[in-house]
Amino acid sequence: MSAAGSLLAVFPAASVLLLTIAAKPREGGAVAPSRLAAVRAALLTGAYAVLVVEVLGALHALTRPAFVVAWLLFLVAAGTAVALRRRRDTPATPAAAATPQPVAVGAAVPAGATPDTPAPAVDHGPVGGRAAAPVQPNGVRARLLARATESWRTASRSERLLAGGIGGLVLLELLIALLAEPNNFDSQTYHLPKVEHWVAQGDLDFWPTAIHRQVTIPPGAEYLLLHLRLLTGGDALHNLVQWAAGVLCLLVAARITAQLGGGRRAQLITTFVLASTPMVALQATSTQTDLVCAAWVACAATLALDGLRRRTGWGTVLGLGAATGLTAVTKTSGLIAVGPLLVLWGLAQLRLALAARPSAAEPAGRAASVGASAGRARPVFRVVTGSALIMAVAALVVGPFLARVTAEFGHPLGPPRLRESIPMERHDPASILVNALRIGHTAFDTPVAPLRTAGADAIIVGAEAIGVDPQDRAITFGREVFPVPAWYPDEDRVAFPIAGSVALLGALVALVRPRRIDPAQAGPLRAYAVVVLAAVLLHTSMIKWQPWGNRLILYALVLAVPLAGLWLDALLRRHADRTPEPADPGRRRRSVAAVAVVVLATSALAGVLALSYGFPRRLVGSGSVFTTSDWDTRFLRRPEWADEFRWAAAAVRESGAHRIGLVERNDDWEYPWWLLLRQPDGSSPDLVSLQSVLPERPPADPASVDAIVCTGSQPTCAELVPAGWRLEFRDYVGYALPPGR
């Protein structure tokens, strides 16, 4: 990455920061307004990034200059928005700057007030539950510093430990993300190759390929990577997309906790449990896509919860549409949660609309009845219009990709092999039960082998007893066999028994006994728990079990962890407030507190171990980011392939070949060729596939290329090498050159 590229990469980050200032809510009653502003800024920036790719792709202009201009325009627009916000919020008179009195979230609405009655903004953040002052962009840095200092001063020792632990984990993840080269397995196969194809083509048209996932899997996260690729000229900052998504997940999870009545400690517990979950910690340093999907789902959740008590403004409606579209264009499975969230939002908005009282100025008698009906019809029409607008915005974001897939394969979900490999093909209750039990077994796996074996045996015996084959291909991905160990800290499959257990318990308590968590929030708690549990049930009834299924359900874990934080905080609060009886001098109180401390301490240990020894990026030991070379880091998944790729690429470069043919299988690594065969000036190599799984995209003729590089199968490679060419092959990699080269 060049120095100029690193400077250009500042444009998106600066735009988000400026938009966070400009998007801070002006309306009263907003919970955690700073985090809400961050959500709005992230959604606006994400939607803009996707649309820029789509528009420039349609114009065949996926080039560095075009992206630089696009981000300069966006940065100027964000700066202008801040300037306009400053002008509007500058008080004209001393009276205009008066600070309203704080109103607690969940407090009773004053008599005669409507759901739209403004109330002062309240920030129930980790920094405390103080009322936010009116937004004054002047001195933002000073106010933030003063707020942080005050929060730290008033925090308890346990709260400081939690906050310090969260900050430490996030900074360690940032360090690894910056030091480690992208080395995720799927990224080598299709995440990063599709980015390189776009750069080489200058557009988003599909291409002949043997790896269908390069064109059929939703590309939202790769769109974000494309911006960094073109701005910086390389992949040195690619890991920061998932790291930023992880930070957004933490902020939104804390805000959801606040929306459900949680104070500072509850929010810190929520954030700590989520930050220390090994799957989150490992993916935050990766080029996978699951945290990006989870972040967009969480944004949809926090905006939907805002609609439980007040009618939603058009800005929030647009935000819900953007969150829905970004989820769909990133990972379709995330819609499993977004759907119930939108239903919850719609029902809440309808309830508020129907409960709205007609104005006192309405005429009496029959005219009053007509006026009341019209008065209620208008809010209902507004809800219907808002729902349609959400779908329209979502379609604007994801529609172009779906249109290309439909035109190519005749179906918006892609070819039959994709539609049949991941979604469940049986939906009878017995099959769904077995699938859910297997998913749960993998998600809650622990290093205790006897426990894993006993649980798996029980599931297999139970499945056979109800007439379901536990390895049935209709409910099992590919040729995989249940069970598999998932406790080891590997970014693709690591289990989350601690976070998952407390999240499940918290969701069940919120569903059955919400008043034990917070009597004032019983309704919202139960409604949110229903949505979370519905998402989990829908996932287990729609997605087949697979060894890598834990990362696919990460979005549901992010949604559920706030309930864990609220429940743990309620336990600590309730037993701390209880007066010990003479016969029980605080023993129960101490035992409950001890359990909570053990849970948090174990969670912290899991997070630290994941970052220290996790795979394939770690701080210490073999493969450490401090001691392993850049090239070897890329091949930590398959170290035996590192020299083979270099050997073949060196031979092809020495031959002077320009047009190079690719021979590979569906799960082989393609990305190393894009790095090793790049032109001397840094431009993309001319790589064309000699195979194609796209019926309308024929492969290149082997006779039209100057050299051939192969991965995986020597017989397959030999079949495509023209007669008379020299073929050299090692264990995994090979190359072929024509006579005279």
Side-chain angles (χ1 to χ4, degrees):
M1 180 179 67
S2 64
S6 62
L7 291 176
L8 293 176
V10 174
F11 289 177
S15 299
V16 172
L17 292 176
L18 288 173
L19 287 175
T20 301
I21 297 173
K24 196 165 185 179
R26 290 190 297 271
E27 68 273 15
V31 178
S34 296
R35 274 167 280 165
L36 176 57
V39 168
R40 292 173 172 177
L43 289 173
L44 180 57
T45 305
Y48 178 79
V50 169
L51 294 177
V52 163
V53 172
E54 291 290 356
V55 171
L56 294 181
L59 298 174
H60 305 282
L62 297 180
T63 63
R64 188 180 194 183
F67 274 66
V68 170
V69 170
W71 280 109
L72 277 174
L73 292 175
F74 194 65
L75 184 61
V76 170
T80 302
V82 170
L84 293 176
R85 179 65 184 268
R86 176 182 300 176
R87 180 178 302 175
R88 285 196 300 266
D89 292 334
T90 299
T93 62
T99 303
Q101 295 300 314
V103 175
V105 171
V109 178
T114 69
D116 286 329
T117 301
V122 181
D123 191 343
H124 288 265
V127 297
R130 299 172 180 269
V135 179
Q136 300 287 344
N138 290 320
V140 171
R141 183 185 305 173
R143 285 200 306 277
L144 290 176
L145 180 61
R147 182 184 297 179
T149 302
E150 176 66 14
S151 298
W152 185 261
R153 187 185 64 81
T154 59
S156 65
R157 180 180 301 177
S158 61
E159 290 172 344
R160 292 181 180 180
L161 285 174
L162 289 171
I166 296 165
L169 289 169
V170 170
L171 290 177
L172 284 177
E173 292 162 6
L174 176 60
L175 177 65
I176 297 174
L178 290 172
L179 292 179
E181 303 295 320
N183 61 0
N184 174 263
F185 194 103
D186 285 348
S187 296
Q188 307 285 354
T189 300
Y190 68 96
H191 288 311
L192 300 185
K194 73 168 65 173
V195 174
E196 296 300 324
H197 277 286
W198 294 332
V199 174
Q201 296 177 172
D203 57 40
L204 300 174
D205 290 346
F206 292 160
W207 53 89
T209 178
I211 304 173
H212 77 87
R213 291 175 294 174
Q214 291 184 357
V215 296
T216 57
I217 299 293
E222 291 89 342
Y223 281 175
L224 304 181
L225 293 176
L226 176 62
H227 286 270
L228 288 179
R229 168 66 176 84
L230 287 172
L231 290 176
T232 67
D235 61 10
L237 301 183
H238 278 10
N239 292 332
L240 293 186
V241 170
Q242 280 262 110
W243 178 82
V247 172
L248 183 58
C249 285
L250 298 181
L251 292 174
V252 178
R255 184 171 193 265
I256 291 173
T257 306
Q259 288 173 289
L260 296 174
R264 177 165 59 189
R265 184 175 63 183
Q267 294 170 61
L268 285 169
I269 292 174
T270 293
T271 310
F272 185 83
V273 170
L274 186 59
S276 58
T277 300
M279 176 66 77
V280 175
L282 290 171
Q283 287 231 4
T285 65
S286 167
T287 47
Q288 262 294 6
T289 63
D290 304 285
L291 268 180
V292 178
C293 173
W296 299 138
V297 173
C299 288
T302 194
L303 294 181
L305 285 177
D306 277 339
L308 293 186
R309 290 191 178 89
R310 62 174 56 221
R311 291 205 290 269
T312 300
W314 294 114
T316 301
V317 169
L318 294 175
L320 283 169
T324 303
L326 289 168
T327 301
V329 81
T330 301
K331 215 173 189 69
T332 310
S333 56
L335 295 177
I336 293 173
V338 173
L341 287 167
L342 292 180
V343 170
L344 174 65
W345 172 84
L347 292 175
Q349 291 296 291
L350 283 174
R351 178 183 63 83
L352 292 172
L354 295 175
R357 297 178 181 179
S359 171
E362 292 287 353
R366 182 176 179 181
S369 176
V370 173
S373 299
R376 288 191 176 93
R378 283 192 296 271
V380 172
F381 177 76
R382 179 187 175 93
V383 174
V384 174
T385 303
S387 302
L389 184 57
I390 290 173
M391 294 299 102
V393 173
L396 178 65
V397 174
V398 72
F401 168 71
L402 294 181
R404 289 193 299 275
V405 172
T406 304
E408 190 73 30
F409 301 104
H411 195 285
L413 297 181
R417 65 184 301 177
L418 179 62
R419 302 198 303 272
E420 297 168 2
S421 61
I422 297 178
M424 287 274 285
E425 297 176 81
R426 290 181 56 177
H427 297 91
D428 55 285
S431 296
I432 294 174
L433 175 62
V434 172
N435 193 54
L437 290 174
R438 294 183 306 165
I439 290 175
H441 180 274
T442 305
F444 291 92
D445 190 24
T446 69
V448 183
L451 181 62
R452 178 192 315 120
T453 302
D457 290 345
I459 292 173
I460 291 172
V461 171
E464 293 172 346
I466 60 177
V468 177
D469 179 3
Q471 314 300 345
D472 186 355
R473 296 303 101 188
I475 61 173
T476 305
F477 178 83
R479 300 177 182 177
E480 305 302 326
V481 177
F482 173 84
V484 295
W487 64 269
Y488 185 80
D490 184 306
E491 67 173 352
D492 284 337
R493 65 173 65 189
V494 61
F496 32 80
I498 301 171
S501 296
V502 293
L504 180 60
L505 289 172
L508 292 176
V509 172
L511 179 67
V512 179
R513 302 288 295 277
R515 293 185 180 277
R516 293 182 67 86
I517 296 177
D518 189 343
Q521 300 285 337
L525 281 167
R526 178 171 284 142
Y528 187 72
V530 167
V531 168
V532 170
L533 293 173
V536 173
L537 293 175
L538 286 172
H539 184 99
T540 57
S541 64
M542 298 174 67
I543 306 296
K544 294 177 179 177
W545 174 87
Q546 55 182 282
W548 314 278
N550 289 342
R551 64 183 182 82
L552 298 184
I553 205 169
L554 184 58
Y555 69 89
L557 179 70
V558 172
L559 291 185
V561 166
L563 297 174
L566 289 162
W567 174 61
L568 289 173
D569 179 67
L571 286 179
L572 294 172
R573 184 178 64 250
R574 186 167 64 252
H575 288 273
D577 294 341
R578 178 178 296 170
T579 302
E581 299 292 336
D584 179 23
R587 183 174 301 174
R588 289 185 61 190
R589 180 179 65 192
R590 290 193 298 270
S591 63
V592 170
V595 170
V597 170
V598 168
V599 168
L600 294 175
T602 308
S603 184
L605 179 62
V608 171
L609 289 177
L611 291 175
S612 300
Y613 298 100
F615 197 72
R617 292 166 303 281
R618 57 176 55 168
L619 289 171
V620 298
S622 176
S624 166
V625 295
F626 295 113
T627 61
T628 308
S629 69
D630 294 348
W631 186 251
D632 289 335
T633 299
R634 296 181 185 275
F635 286 86
L636 284 175
R637 285 282 187 192
R638 298 291 187 271
E640 66 275 14
W641 295 350
D643 289 338
E644 293 191 22
F645 271 98
R646 277 182 162 172
W647 159 75
V652 171
R653 287 198 307 269
E654 290 174 4
S655 72
H658 295 286
R659 183 175 168 86
I660 303 164
L662 287 172
V663 178
E664 56 198 0
R665 299 168 301 181
N666 184 58
D667 209 30
D668 286 330
W669 286 18
E670 180 182 312
Y671 186 59
W673 300 126
W674 291 97
L675 298 174
L676 291 168
L677 299 174
R678 190 168 290 180
Q679 300 294 333
D681 62 357
S683 59
S684 299
D686 186 7
L687 293 177
V688 294
S689 179
L690 304 185
Q691 307 146 288
S692 180
V693 294
L694 279 66
E696 304 299 323
R697 307 278 175 173
D701 184 351
S704 68
V705 301
D706 304 322
I708 296 174
V709 291
C710 309
T711 50
S713 172
Q714 182 174 358
T716 301
C717 186
E719 291 177 2
L720 292 169
V721 172
W725 283 40
R726 174 169 58 93
L727 173 61
E728 300 285 345
F729 210 97
R730 291 188 177 178
D731 291 336
Y732 180 73
V733 176
Y735 69 91
L737 295 173
R741 285 188 179 268

